[in-house]
Amino acid sequence: MNASRIVSVADARRRASRTVPRALFDYVDGGADDELTMAGNTEAFRRIGLVPRMGNRVGAPGLSIELFGTRLSLPVLLAPCGLVSALHPDGPVGAARAAASRGTVATLSAVAGLAPEAVAAGCRSGGMADPGWFQLYAPGGRPEWEGLVDRAAASGFTALVVTLDTPALGNRERDRRNGFSADMHLDPLEIGRLAVQFATRPGWLARMGAAQLAARRSEVPSGPTVGLVAAGGSPLSWDDLVAIRERWSGPLLVKGVLSAEDARRAVASGCDGVIVSNHGGRQLDGAPPTMQVLPDVVDAVGSSATVLVDSGVRRGGDVVRALAVGADAVLVGRAFLYGLAAAGTAGVQRVLDILRTDIERTLVLLGCPDVASLDRTWLAAAP
Ligand SMILES: Cc1cc2nc3c(=O)[nH]c(=O)nc-3n(C[C@H](O)[C@H](O)[C@H](O)COP(=O)(O)O)c2cc1C
């Protein structure tokens, strides 16, 4: 489809729902249990009002930021997401290329469905200097994470994200109803099992079928890097984190922080950054919306570590709110997945362009010259 017809993330979501099979759309779109945390995430952004200052002539507002010595022209990164390779043949390489083309970075999940070496090769052949960040799950414990950390380093990934919020998988009832599992390889057997659903999306089926055959011919290593679902989760601990710090020399971030206490512990364990995240409401239902806890985390560690936030970002105004609270940048999960499902690499680029335009417009309307000038004085709690 023509990505230029997508005008908002909500549009991309609607397009995605018509493009990929129901089970895949639900996998992306759904949350845990009653989806209370998932709903709370978007609601929390809406509760925060913005206070404009009139008469400040803002030309082209500055959006660039620096993260770990690298300049990004957009304060929005792509969050690590499993099974990206099933949404569209462009998969994780397409997402990484889209991010790079828009001056930002994608994070490859250990369960994205394509090996880090293959993603790195795809990025390099597209002219990228590096493949971005890598996110670690390790259900198999230390031998497994040691291998993955070394592979990520050898493949040229520039930062390592360790996700701590998945000691067990959240209860995703939509997936269970659909008979869907994130460990799927979408081989002929599994496609056969979901045939009725897949048959209603012939375009997707044809694209994915052709891509599977091409991958087989070229022997691209595919499938999950680790067996997260089979193992039931990735129970990494703070002790693992200290040991990972010794092995990984680049920037290290912990993902899944929801309290000042855990943020302090991450910094004490040698992390360079924390990602305030409740996994988009896909893990512990009842966990607080990230915008509710972000101020505490920023106040606790903001001066000594990089603070990123995700979960519920759907508009540029959400990004502005998070940066005003004190986050250094945000990550988006579903927003880019909807774009990828709807239109591949071009769909991710479109979503990033929408967010960029949104952020610029919001800053102009606020009378704020650049993202560096955002602070809590631009915010008001909703009545
Ligand atoms: C389909 C899907 C798969 C995900 N897989 C992973 C993963 O493999 N590793 C991880 O750390 N987080 C994963 N997440 C969580 C995202 O990294 C991110 O925290 C979340 O999507 C942010 O919320 P948002 O979708 O509302 O932007 C996944 C999220 C989605 C929607």
Side-chain angles (χ1 to χ4, degrees):
M1 70 138 315
N2 184 354
S4 65
R5 284 161 57 196
I6 298 171
V7 304
S8 65
V9 171
D11 261 8
R13 176 176 180 270
R14 270 189 296 276
R15 298 261 172 198
S17 75
R18 287 187 224 131
T19 310
V20 299
R22 168 80 188 269
L24 259 181
F25 177 75
D26 277 349
Y27 166 67
V28 170
D29 198 56
D33 296 345
D34 296 310
E35 302 186 340
L36 299 175
T37 295
M38 185 172 90
N41 283 333
T42 43
E43 188 55 35
F45 277 107
R46 290 192 190 138
R47 276 182 209 280
I48 302 170
L50 295 168
V51 184
R53 291 171 198 165
M54 301 303 163
N56 293 346
R57 205 181 287 153
V58 176
L63 264 53
S64 89
I65 57 160
E66 196 176 303
L67 279 188
F68 308 118
T70 302
R71 204 133 274 278
L72 303 183
S73 65
L74 185 69
V76 179
L77 291 82
L78 304 189
C81 290
L83 224 63
V84 171
S85 56
L87 294 177
H88 190 282
D90 291 353
V93 174
R97 286 188 186 176
S101 75
R102 295 310 188 255
T104 184
V105 172
T107 313
L108 178 70
S109 160
V111 292
L114 201 59
E117 295 81 5
V119 174
C123 290
R124 267 196 305 277
S125 73
M128 289 168 59
D130 65 70
W133 295 8
F134 185 77
Q135 175 260 324
L136 189 69
Y137 278 140
R142 184 161 185 157
E144 187 168 54
W145 69 244
E146 284 186 345
L148 272 175
V149 168
D150 293 351
R151 287 171 65 192
S155 303
F157 287 85
T158 57
L160 186 68
V161 173
V162 179
T163 299
L164 288 191
D165 63 15
T166 314
L169 282 179
N171 175 35
R172 322 236 176 104
E173 292 180 358
R174 296 199 213 182
D175 292 350
R176 288 168 55 197
R177 258 180 234 116
N178 290 329
F180 187 81
S181 150
D183 263 3
M184 284 184 156
H185 292 255
L186 294 178
D187 54 26
L189 207 74
E190 282 172 346
I191 290 181
R193 200 163 59 75
L194 295 168
V196 179
Q197 281 192 32
F198 287 14
T200 60
R201 298 291 183 272
W204 172 87
L205 196 57
R207 275 194 298 278
M208 293 308 295
Q212 280 267 336
L213 285 177
R216 253 176 226 172
R217 260 184 246 119
S218 64
E219 290 175 10
V220 174
S222 64
T225 309
V226 296
L228 186 69
V229 177
S234 167
L236 287 162
S237 70
W238 293 108
D239 289 341
D240 289 314
L241 201 71
V242 171
I244 290 169
R245 173 72 291 178
E246 283 167 19
R247 203 171 183 94
W248 174 263
S249 56
L252 178 67
L253 298 100
V254 168
K255 179 167 180 278
V257 166
L258 287 172
S259 66
E261 189 190 339
D262 277 358
R264 281 193 209 97
R265 192 152 186 191
V267 174
S269 306
C271 289
D272 306 287
V274 297
I275 304 179
V276 178
S277 172
N278 54 37
H279 217 110
R282 299 163 71 82
Q283 285 298 103
L284 175 67
D285 201 26
T290 49
M291 284 305 279
Q292 203 173 299
V293 297
L294 179 64
D296 282 353
V297 173
V298 168
D299 294 346
V301 302
S303 56
S304 53
T306 297
V307 178
L308 307 184
V309 63
D310 73 21
S311 301
V313 174
R314 301 289 182 271
R315 289 198 178 270
D318 299 337
V319 179
V320 169
R321 286 165 170 83
L323 299 184
V325 169
D328 294 291
V330 309
L331 296 95
V332 289
R334 293 184 187 85
F336 97 83
L337 295 175
Y338 296 142
L340 184 73
T345 306
V348 181
Q349 289 172 323
R350 182 71 186 158
V351 164
L352 290 173
D353 289 343
I354 289 168
L355 292 174
R356 174 187 295 279
T357 310
D358 262 9
I359 298 169
E360 286 171 348
R361 186 190 318 104
T362 304
L363 290 176
V364 171
L365 290 173
L366 272 176
C368 179
D370 49 39
V371 291
S373 305
L374 286 168
D375 60 25
R376 294 180 196 176
T377 63
W378 298 91
L379 301 177

